[in-house]
């Protein structure tokens, strides 16, 4: 798939000018819709054939970021394309089609970032995205599952475990490189002694350099979105925390915010501040872990030990002050499950300050370790254009110059009231990504200080109104990047559809750009600098 | 570059004294819920009803906890009028119910133990806690316990996660590639009973549905020292916990 060139002199759009431009260009084919009002701006796409032109306009001319694709099976197919309009929040473009429809237009040729979302919808709903070059064999691996199982359809029973799987016995991986002498090196799904998450890579090469890297994911697919359906919010909250536990607080926060927005619930100010502090604590810990992973990948043992001690101390601080090493069981729709007294907050600040000092020391030492820098500098380069084309999430995107931090672009939980930077770099190499991690860790510490001092007293939890049916989008800047949770509650208040758009899903899709044309021995290092989670991608 | 050498030396020994002395640093474990005597039958049954995964069972005035299904949501501990008691222990690994106590660990495991770790649909937490054991604060190498890169050299298959359907094949292949004698440890509530993922078309609902499990380490996730305790049991250097908080073991 080749990407259309960027508009040479893009006009800057906000919500108003964008609405006007859409009306002017697409007329009645794309109309503002109030029936889906859930706090975000919604448009109904009335003619499927304008979707490609519309997404090209949004992504390349209006410079909107692509949030993801949410497919819902209701009385019709609802294909909800979420875009983030610069400085103005989210816009949903909804294509409704009769349930008999199997063939829907693909937008992957216009928005490369939509590639995997369409593959996923094809595998799980049986929708055929016209013109998509590579469908099938994605979430449901062909060597295990029959094609056209469509487990996300409403009629499919998740508990039915006794059906025939009919795997394809003749399954072979699809190779791209066909030169004489070329071969593919398989890595995973069980590798590094299992210390790595279950992912499979096919590295195609003719010798030293990786020419094509095809990651194969979804070994950890536990069908979280499917088993959430029909269950009460308090149960689904457990799933939201536990599908990707290394970012548990961020995801439970996104889920709670979706429920709170759907039901128009207010969160007490004290709870919002504590949520910011805990979310930043998790980011800090996660970044320390990623830094330890980068040091490990370059075999610089002492620095790895140093970073992992910092990480362990943050885990212990989380457990000591918040009751759980991975911050489970704290969020609930309407606020937090428990309050923190002044002494706990002060002790937590001490622990965090200690981590800040240690991280600064570590950064200083790494900066003067030439052998370490040699492994990172100019390795795994993602240009700004590629990053934009693939709409990279989180610190990885910011290392390539993107402005994608939702804490600033779409503030939530009161982030607009804090003073902090979202550091960016331009080089897009491994070292830029490492510098971003160190810089963001220090910003997180600043945020924790601001959140926990002069907090004010009051409740930390409010009752949520029971105004279902309702649906809304919740979002956070998780440690890996933007995470969007879509929750629809039915008439009884049970979850009808739960959709997780995770940053790892986005960045796994983009990883090949960084890996290709670099040597084999750079591969683990590049992988470490991306700091990805397979569980978060697979769900 | 020599500053790394001096830096490492100057830091001194950071490693825990466990298992020779109990480790009591704050935050090493979230603890576990304990069987609790309430003032009335009603309070006990309310505590049981409050558990989202049905891990608490009321038995008269007493509420017992099944650690094999507990997901450590702490809803029985925080924000309720009559909380369950929690302790701060971590030695709670135990022999799987299906294995008789006589199925002892091979003597060959005693001095050195090579562990093959497999992520079978884990959320990242259990896997992460196992990897903590390699960091200097826990450093399981000093006890002769190693994560190995190949199943051919492994004694123990340590499985985390509920066994997703896509990982069933690789997990079985890993097990088959291991030489005898071999034992299987399920670490984490998901690996024991499926946890919040339960049993579905994509989740086997625990390692026991796929492989014979010898040792179980409850926890969501089990803290590093719980896992270390489990590995020490496998090496025959610790005895399994006689925790009464498993349903069926108490009258």
């Amino acid at each position: 798939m080749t990407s259309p060139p960027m508009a040479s002199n893009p006009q800057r759009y906000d919500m108003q000018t964008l609405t006007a431009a859409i009306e002017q260009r697409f007329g009645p084919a794309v109309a503002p819709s109030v029936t889906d009002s859930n706090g975000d701006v919604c448009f109904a796409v009335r003619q499927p054939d304008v979707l490609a032109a519309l997404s090209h306009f949004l992504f390349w001319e209006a410079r909107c970021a692509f949030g993801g694709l949410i497919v819902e099976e209701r009385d019709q197919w609802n294909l909800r394309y979420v875009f983030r309009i610069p400085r103005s929040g989210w816009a949903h473009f909804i294509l409704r089609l009769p349930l008999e429809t199997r063939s829907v237009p693909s937008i992957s040729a216009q928005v490369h970032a939509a590639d995997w979302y369409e593959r996923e919808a094809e595998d799980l709903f049986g929708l055929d995205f016209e013109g998509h070059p590579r469908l099938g064999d994605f979430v449901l691996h062909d060597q295990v599952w029959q094609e056209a199982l469509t487990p996300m359809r409403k009629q499919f029973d998740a508990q039915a475990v006794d059906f025939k799987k009919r795997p394809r016995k003749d399954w072979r991986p699809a190779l791209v490189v066909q030169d004489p002498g070329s071969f593919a090196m398989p890595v995973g799904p069980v590798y590094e002694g299992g210390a790595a998450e279950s992912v499979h890579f096919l590295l195609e090469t003719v010798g030293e350099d990786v020419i094509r890297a095809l990651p194969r994911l979804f070994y950890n697919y536990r069908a979280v979105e499917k088993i959430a359906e029909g269950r009460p919010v308090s149960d689904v909250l457990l799933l939201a925390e536990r599908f990707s536990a290394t970012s548990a607080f961020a995801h439970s926060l996104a889920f709670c915010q979706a429920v709170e927005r759907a039901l128009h619930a207010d969160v007490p100010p004290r709870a919002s501040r504590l949520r910011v502090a805990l979310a930043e604590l998790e980011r800090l810990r996660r970044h320390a872990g990623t830094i330890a992973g980068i040091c490990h990948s370059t075999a610089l043992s002492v620095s790895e030990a140093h970073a992992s001690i910092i990480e362990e101390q943050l885990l212990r601080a989380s457990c000591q002050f918040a009751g759980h090493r991975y911050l489970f069981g704290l969020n609930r729709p309407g606020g937090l499950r428990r309050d923190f007294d002044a002494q706990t907050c002060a002790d937590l600040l001490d622990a965090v300050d200690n981590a800040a000092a240690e991280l600064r020391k570590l950064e200083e030492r790494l900066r003067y370790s030439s052998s370490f820098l040699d492994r990172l500098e100019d390795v795994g380069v993602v240009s700004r254009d590629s990053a934009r084309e693939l709409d990279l999430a989180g610190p990885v995107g910011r290392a390539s110059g993107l402005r994608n931090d939702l804490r600033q672009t779409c503030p939530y939980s009161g982030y607009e009231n804090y003073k902090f930077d979202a550091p960016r770099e331009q080089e897009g190499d491994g070292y830029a990504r490492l510098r971003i991690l160190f810089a963001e860790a220090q910003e997180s510490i600043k945020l924790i200080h601001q959140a926990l001092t002069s907090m004010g007293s009051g409740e930390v939890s409010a009752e949520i109104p029971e105004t279902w049916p309702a649906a809304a989008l919740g979002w956070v800047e998780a440690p890996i990047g933007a995470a969007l949770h879509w929750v629809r509650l039915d008439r009884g208040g049970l979850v009808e559809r739960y959709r997780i758009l995770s940053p790892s899903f986005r960045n796994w899709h983009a990883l090949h750009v960084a890996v290709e044309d670099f040597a084999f021995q750079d591969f683990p290092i590049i992988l470490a600098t991306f700091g990805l989670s397979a569980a978060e991608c697979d769900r | 570059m020599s500053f790394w050498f001096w830096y490492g030396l100057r830091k001194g020994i950071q490693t825990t004294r466990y298992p020779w002395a109990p480790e009591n640093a704050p935050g090493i474990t979230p603890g576990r819920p304990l069987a609790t005597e309430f003032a009335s039958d009603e309070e006990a049954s309310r505590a049981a009803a409050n558990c989202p995964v049905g891990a608490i069972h009321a038995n008269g005035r007493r509420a017992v906890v099944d650690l094999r299904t507990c997901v450590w949501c702490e809803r029985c501990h925080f924000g309720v009028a009559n909380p369950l008691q929690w302790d701060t222990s971590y030695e709670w690994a135990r022999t799987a119910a299906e294995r008789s106590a006589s199925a002892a660990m091979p003597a060959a495991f005693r001095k050195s133990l090579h562990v093959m770790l497999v992520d079978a649909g884990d959320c990242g937490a259990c896997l992460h806690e196992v990897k903590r054991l390699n960091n200097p604060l826990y450093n399981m190498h000093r006890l002769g316990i190693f994560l190995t890169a190949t199943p051919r050299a492994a004694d123990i298959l340590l499985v985390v996660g509920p066994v997703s359907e896509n990982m069933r094949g690789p997990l079985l292949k890993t097990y088959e590639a291991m030489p005898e004698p071999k034992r299987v440890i399920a670490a984490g509530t998901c690996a024991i009973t499926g946890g919040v993922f339960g049993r579905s078309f994509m989740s086997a609902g625990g390692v026991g549905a796929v492989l014979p499990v010898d040792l179980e380490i409850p926890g969501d996730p089990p803290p590093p020292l719980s896992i270390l305790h489990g590995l020490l049991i496998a090496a025959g250097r610790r005895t399994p916990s006689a925790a009464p908080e498993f349903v069926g073991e108490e009258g």
Side-chain angles (χ1 to χ4, degrees), chain A residues 74-131:
Chain A
R74 311 195 74 212
D75 49 348
Q76 316 176 65
W77 286 118
N78 281 14
L79 275 71
R80 184 179 293 268
Y81 296 85
V82 182
F83 284 88
R84 181 169 54 75
I85 299 164
R87 297 178 299 281
S88 315
W90 304 96
H92 303 217
F93 294 83
I94 305 157
L95 176 64
R96 291 194 179 78
L97 296 166
L99 278 183
E100 304 79 63
T101 315
R102 283 292 158 275
S103 191
V104 293
S106 162
I107 63 165
S108 295
Q110 286 75 32
V111 181
H112 197 161
D115 174 13
W116 275 17
Y117 294 97
E118 294 185 344
R119 290 184 70 185
E120 185 190 9
E122 194 267 347
D123 244 20
L124 299 181
F125 287 94
L127 291 170
D128 185 20
F129 287 86
E130 270 173 78

Side-chain angles (χ1 to χ4, degrees), chain A residues 449-490:
Chain A
H449 271 277
Q450 290 176 48
L452 289 186
T453 44
S454 65
M455 194 155 43
S457 57
E459 291 294 310
V460 292
S461 180
E463 285 302 311
I464 52 168
E466 300 188 347
T467 52
W468 37 69
L473 190 71
W475 62 88
V476 296
E477 182 71 20
I480 301 182
L484 280 66
H485 289 225
W486 169 259
V487 179
R488 182 182 291 280
L489 302 173
D490 67 12

Side-chain angles (χ1 to χ4, degrees), chain A residues 165 198 219 242 312 325, chain B residues 71 119 129 138 164-165 199:
Chain A
K165 281 198 207 143
S198 295
Y219 284 95
R242 281 163 181 77
E312 174 68 23
R325 284 163 64 92
Chain B
V71 295
D119 161 23
E129 294 292 60
Y138 299 105
S164 61
E165 221 33 60
R199 185 168 139 85

Side-chain angles (χ1 to χ4, degrees), chain B residues 163-227:
Chain B
V163 186
S164 61
E165 221 33 60
N166 286 345
M167 269 310 284
R168 181 192 285 260
L171 177 65
L172 286 171
K173 276 190 178 171
T174 309
Y175 180 72
E176 280 156 20
M178 286 168 58
E180 293 284 353
K182 54 186 169 188
R183 294 290 186 268
V184 179
I185 302 181
T189 297
C190 293
I192 300 172
T193 57
V196 291
F197 306 109
R199 185 168 139 85
S200 75
F201 73 110
M202 266 297 174
S203 155
V207 187
V210 183
L211 290 172
V213 176
D214 300 276
L215 203 70
E216 292 174 345
I217 309 173
D220 196 351
L225 287 179
S226 292
I227 300 166

Side-chain angles (χ1 to χ4, degrees), chain A residues 139-141 145 151 156 158-161 163 165 189-190 193-198 218-224 226-227 234-235 237-239 242-246 300 302-303 305-306 308-309 311-312 315-316 319-320 323-326 328-329 337-338 358 362 365-366 368-369 371 535, chain B residues 1 3-5 7-8 10-11 14 23 25-30 52-53 71-75 78-79 115-125 127-129 131-132 135-138 147-150 162 164-168 170 174 196-197 199-203 220-221 223-224:
Chain A
V139 178
L140 306 173
H141 295 168
W145 296 92
F156 183 89
Q159 309 307 321
V161 289
F163 55 84
K165 281 198 207 143
V190 180
E197 287 186 286
S198 295
F218 297 98
Y219 284 95
N220 286 357
Y221 179 62
R222 290 142 291 166
V224 168
K226 180 70 184 178
I227 59 179
S234 61
D235 278 12
L237 178 60
L238 292 178
L239 284 171
R242 281 163 181 77
F243 80 91
S244 172
T246 46
L300 193 59
V302 182
S303 66
H306 190 176
S308 60
I309 288 175
E311 190 193 6
E312 174 68 23
L315 280 168
R316 289 181 182 183
C319 188
Q320 192 184 351
H324 195 283
R325 284 163 64 92
Y326 292 86
F328 288 179
R337 210 167 279 283
R338 52 187 292 209
E358 291 293 316
L362 177 64
R365 288 201 172 82
L366 288 174
Y368 293 106
S369 301
S371 69
Chain B
M1 288 301 293
F3 63 74
W4 283 114
F5 174 78
Y7 173 75
R10 258 208 314 279
K11 270 276 174 186
Q14 306 263 316
E23 173 64 61
I28 46 159
T29 170
V53 291
V71 295
W72 267 258
C73 64
E74 309 190 354
R75 289 182 194 177
F78 294 115
V115 180
M116 182 75 210
L117 171 64
V118 173
D119 161 23
D122 177 50
C123 65
L127 189 74
H128 203 256
E129 294 292 60
K131 285 199 282 184
R132 300 293 86 217
N135 92 24
L137 295 175
Y138 299 105
L147 285 182
T148 142
T150 161
S164 61
E165 221 33 60
N166 286 345
M167 269 310 284
R168 181 192 285 260
T174 309
V196 291
F197 306 109
R199 185 168 139 85
S200 75
F201 73 110
M202 266 297 174
S203 155
D220 196 351

Side-chain angles (χ1 to χ4, degrees), chain B:
Chain B
M1 288 301 293
S2 62
F3 63 74
W4 283 114
F5 174 78
W6 292 114
Y7 173 75
L9 276 189
R10 258 208 314 279
K11 270 276 174 186
I13 294 172
Q14 306 263 316
T15 311
T16 173
R17 290 277 300 140
Y18 183 83
W20 292 287
E23 173 64 61
N24 292 318
I28 46 159
T29 170
R32 64 172 165 177
L34 295 175
T36 305
E37 201 83 33
F38 284 103
S40 68
D41 290 11
E42 208 180 310
E43 281 178 17
S45 43
R46 210 177 305 136
N50 187 37
C51 178
V53 291
I56 302 175
H57 301 261
N59 186 356
R61 288 193 300 138
R62 197 170 166 76
V64 289
V65 188
D66 182 6
L67 284 188
R68 299 176 79 238
T69 42
C70 175
V71 295
W72 267 258
C73 64
E74 309 190 354
R75 289 182 194 177
C76 56
H77 185 40
F78 294 115
V80 283
N82 298 301
L84 245 65
Q85 291 166 12
W86 278 58
D87 69 1
T88 51
S89 66
Y90 44 81
E91 289 192 326
W92 58 51
R94 62 141 210 182
T95 320
E98 305 81 59
R99 312 296 272 185
S100 64
S102 60
M105 291 292 172
F109 289 3
R110 202 161 273 268
K111 293 244 164 91
S112 119
L113 197 63
H114 287 252
V115 180
M116 182 75 210
L117 171 64
V118 173
D119 161 23
D122 177 50
C123 65
C126 295
L127 189 74
H128 203 256
E129 294 292 60
V130 177
K131 285 199 282 184
R132 300 293 86 217
L133 293 175
N134 268 340
N135 92 24
L137 295 175
Y138 299 105
N139 185 18
M140 64 178 174
H141 294 190
R142 74 202 151 95
L143 302 167
I145 305 175
F146 307 90
L147 285 182
T148 142
T150 161
R152 300 277 181 214
D155 307 310
I156 293 284
L157 184 63
L158 180 61
V159 190
V160 293
V163 186
S164 61
E165 221 33 60
N166 286 345
M167 269 310 284
R168 181 192 285 260
L171 177 65
L172 286 171
K173 276 190 178 171
T174 309
Y175 180 72
E176 280 156 20
M178 286 168 58
E180 293 284 353
K182 54 186 169 188
R183 294 290 186 268
V184 179
I185 302 181
T189 297
C190 293
I192 300 172
T193 57
V196 291
F197 306 109
R199 185 168 139 85
S200 75
F201 73 110
M202 266 297 174
S203 155
V207 187
V210 183
L211 290 172
V213 176
D214 300 276
L215 203 70
E216 292 174 345
I217 309 173
D220 196 351
L225 287 179
S226 292
I227 300 166
L228 193 57
H229 175 237
L231 293 171
L232 287 169
I233 292 173
R237 293 193 238 159
R238 268 283 187 279
T239 46
S241 102
E245 285 79 22
F246 293 97
V247 162
E249 293 180 0
E250 188 184 90

